Amino acid sequence: MNRLSCFLIIIALCAELSNGAALQPLQPLLKDSVHFSNSLQPNNILKVHCITDEDDLGDHLLSHGQTYDFSFYESIFKTEVNCGLWQGPGFKFYALFKAYEGGGAILHYGKKNFWDAREDGIYFTHGSISPKLEYKWSAHVLAPTH
């Protein structure tokens, strides 16, 4: 077999492994996941909107104490999940951030990112340690009218 054929076979196998399909009959690979929880004051709705490399996951409205999560297989290429959270009257307060980043040379099967919306900002943990304040809420800035 020539080198090009070997290279193409290796690339195809790596791409298949990154999707978790090749090993599933033998041993299921754990999906990575992103979790959001609303720890805001009662009656304060949290709006979550995330976009992955492949999908727009749409708006999800969480009441106090509710959670929203999704899972996926990390790609051998870069995997990103960008999200926006909004809360307050008219969803005036917001935070835009990268909720997950992975892929490349090191794959993270089973990686969990937990985001907790609180009154003073967005807290983050992988679940093994206490959440830490990662982002503060910003307020809408209205553009001046001329």
Side-chain angles (χ1 to χ4, degrees):
M1 212 184 299
N2 66 30
R3 289 184 183 180
L4 179 60
S5 296
C6 288
F7 176 75
L8 292 175
I9 290 171
I10 289 171
I11 293 298
L13 287 173
C14 288
E16 199 62 26
L17 285 174
S18 75
N19 290 329
L23 292 180
Q24 263 184 322
L26 301 175
Q27 175 185 14
L29 297 175
L30 295 175
K31 289 184 174 184
D32 299 316
S33 57
V34 178
H35 306 259
F36 295 94
S37 60
N38 180 351
S39 295
L40 298 166
Q41 296 292 321
N43 300 326
N44 197 351
I45 303 295
L46 176 69
K47 179 165 74 169
V48 179
H49 189 114
C50 294
I51 299 173
T52 71
D53 297 327
E54 300 172 357
D55 296 309
D56 181 336
L57 303 176
D59 290 338
H60 298 270
L61 301 177
L62 307 180
S63 297
H64 175 77
Q66 286 188 313
T67 61
Y68 165 65
D69 57 76
F70 55 92
S71 58
F72 50 92
Y73 290 112
E74 190 173 280
S75 170
I76 60 168
F77 307 107
K78 192 171 190 176
T79 301
E80 287 185 358
V81 177
N82 293 296
C83 297
L85 304 181
W86 291 266
Q87 60 101 355
F91 296 111
K92 175 181 178 181
F93 302 102
Y94 68 95
L96 305 174
F97 57 94
K98 193 174 297 181
Y100 182 93
E101 183 174 28
I106 300 172
L107 298 178
H108 305 97
Y109 293 113
K111 180 178 177 182
K112 297 177 192 286
N113 286 5
F114 294 94
W115 298 95
D116 187 22
R118 301 180 188 178
E119 293 299 322
D120 61 337
I122 313 299
Y123 286 71
F124 174 76
T125 184
H126 286 295
S128 56
I129 59 172
S130 295
K132 293 197 167 57
L133 179 62
E134 195 76 19
Y135 300 102
K136 292 208 173 252
W137 295 108
S138 297
H140 285 292
V141 177
L142 299 176
T145 57
H146 294 90

